[in-house]
Structures are given as C-alpha cells and as structure tokens.
Amino acid sequence: MKDTDETSRVRPATRAKREQILKAAVEIFGNKGSTNGTLADVAEQVGITHAGVLHHFGSKQKLLLEVLAYRDQADVANLADKHIPDGPELFLHLVRTAFANELRPGIVQAYTVLSSESVTDDHPGREYFEDRYTTLRREVAAAFHELCTQEGVTEPDTVAAASASILAVMDGLQLQWLLHPELIELGETSEFAIRAIVNAVLHPGPALTTYARPS
C-alpha cells in the first residue's frame, strides 16, 4: 500500500513536470528549430538539469516526437471523444482549429518549423508528418465524399486534389501569419479558403484554362 500511495503522489507531479518540459520544448524548437534547439536550452527554460530532461523523455528525438504529439492533443483537447470529427463536420473543425491557432502562436511556430525541417534527410519527424498528411488527406476525402452524397452531387474526380489543397492552404496561411500577424487574419482567411475549396468541389466552375487567351 505504501508503494501505491507514493506512486499516486508522484504521478501528478511527474505529469506536471513533463508538461512544463513540453511547453518549453515547443518554444525552443519553434524559435531555434530542432537542430539548433538543445536539451540544455529546454532544461534551462524549465529550471532543471539536462539529465532531468533525459529522465523524463530519454532522448532529444523522443522529446521532439512528444512535442508533435502534444500539438495533436491540443487540437482535440476540447472534443468529447478526443478525436477530430468525421464527415462534413470535419470542415467546421478545421475552421475552428484555425481560429484557435491564433491564440497559440508558439505551438503553430513549432509545428511550422518542424514540418518544414521534416523533408530533410533522416529528420526524426519525417515519418510522423508523412503519416499525418496521409491520414488527414484520407479523412478530408471521406468528408468530401459524404458531403457530396448529402448534397446529391456526383462524386467528382477533384476530391483528392481538394483534400491536399485544404491542408496545404492551412499550413501555408500559418506561415504567412507567423511572418505578418498584423496583416493576416488566420482564422478568417482559413475559413475563406476552406469554404472556397469546398464550394469548388460541390459547384465546380469553368477551368482556369477557359480564361486563357492565345498569345
């Protein structure tokens, strides 16, 4: 019983310390990148030793992956089932996420930096981002198919392109917002772009090539 009591007392403190470290790592990796940001930087931010960070996360690579998971958890923290919704509700969730991101620039910065770095050779986050985009494209495509069925629209061959485009425009707008927060309204601009893409699938207009003029 003594061991159990001690464990129950330690666990909340351990969880709190891990979250402190994760929040510090979000800031450090967001500001410096995963290469230049060090565990010593994170440790100093939290007020513990380098060994203390290793005690909780084992290695820099594991901490980096935990930072990415922490970002995902923040996205669904207020959802009942802790998972992004299915079907057309997913599009509303993406818009709400964009508005929420305006209030957490540190997490957005860390995500933007790490996702950009992940295309480099042997980056520890590459598999995470490959899996993330694959999963999100599939879930957005499923939402499009369900929406098309509800609206009586024959499933167009543009769903795959539209799914990739929504993710691309959200990430691209985050980058512009980080560079020029005084000029870009992240939530409103993301909502406009997502609405435009959804409407383009449901009500496709003429191709842009239609407007081309021979030279």
Side-chain angles (χ1 to χ4, degrees):
M1 180 65 69
K2 181 179 179 181
D3 289 342
T4 301
D5 290 341
E6 288 178 353
T7 300
S8 64
R9 286 198 300 270
V10 168
R11 281 178 179 169
T14 300
R15 284 196 296 270
K17 181 58 66 177
R18 283 176 60 87
E19 185 163 1
Q20 270 189 297
I21 295 170
L22 284 170
K23 288 180 177 178
V26 165
E27 183 176 344
I28 295 299
F29 293 150
N31 288 331
K32 296 185 175 183
S34 62
T35 301
N36 294 327
T38 67
L39 293 186
D41 292 329
V42 175
E44 182 179 0
Q45 184 99 340
V46 180
I48 61 177
T49 64
H50 180 279
V53 176
L54 289 175
H55 170 73
H56 287 282
F57 291 96
S59 68
K60 182 178 179 180
Q61 178 171 329
K62 289 181 180 179
L63 176 58
L64 175 63
L65 296 176
E66 289 281 356
V67 164
L68 296 171
Y70 179 74
R71 188 265 186 191
D72 285 346
Q73 291 163 9
D75 271 0
V76 298
N78 296 321
L79 301 181
D81 56 0
K82 306 301 180 186
H83 185 274
I84 64 176
D86 298 321
E89 176 67 21
L90 175 58
F91 299 115
L92 297 178
H93 168 73
L94 295 177
V95 171
R96 288 193 293 266
T97 297
F99 277 99
N101 281 345
E102 292 182 329
L103 304 178
R104 49 184 189 183
I107 289 180
V108 176
Q109 183 180 32
Y111 174 85
T112 302
V113 170
L114 295 176
S115 62
S116 297
E117 291 181 340
S118 72
V119 302
T120 59
D121 293 340
D122 300 322
H123 189 276
R126 183 173 187 119
E127 183 177 358
Y128 164 87
F129 282 105
E130 287 178 345
D131 291 344
R132 176 180 176 78
Y133 280 116
T134 298
T135 299
L136 285 175
R137 283 194 302 270
R138 181 173 64 247
E139 292 179 340
V140 174
F144 266 121
H145 289 309
E146 185 172 332
L147 182 60
C148 287
T149 299
Q150 290 180 6
E151 296 296 318
V153 175
T154 302
E155 292 187 358
D157 58 5
T158 56
V159 165
S163 302
S165 296
I166 282 182
L167 303 181
V169 77
M170 290 187 71
D171 287 354
L173 285 171
Q174 286 181 171
L175 174 60
Q176 291 188 58
W177 174 69
L178 289 169
L179 293 172
H180 297 289
E182 73 284 359
L183 299 177
I184 304 297
E185 295 287 344
L186 181 60
E188 292 179 9
T189 310
S190 298
E191 181 178 12
F192 173 85
I194 292 171
R195 184 172 67 246
I197 294 171
V198 170
N199 285 335
V201 171
L202 295 179
H203 310 290
L208 290 179
T209 52
T210 301
Y211 303 104
R213 296 290 183 268
S215 55

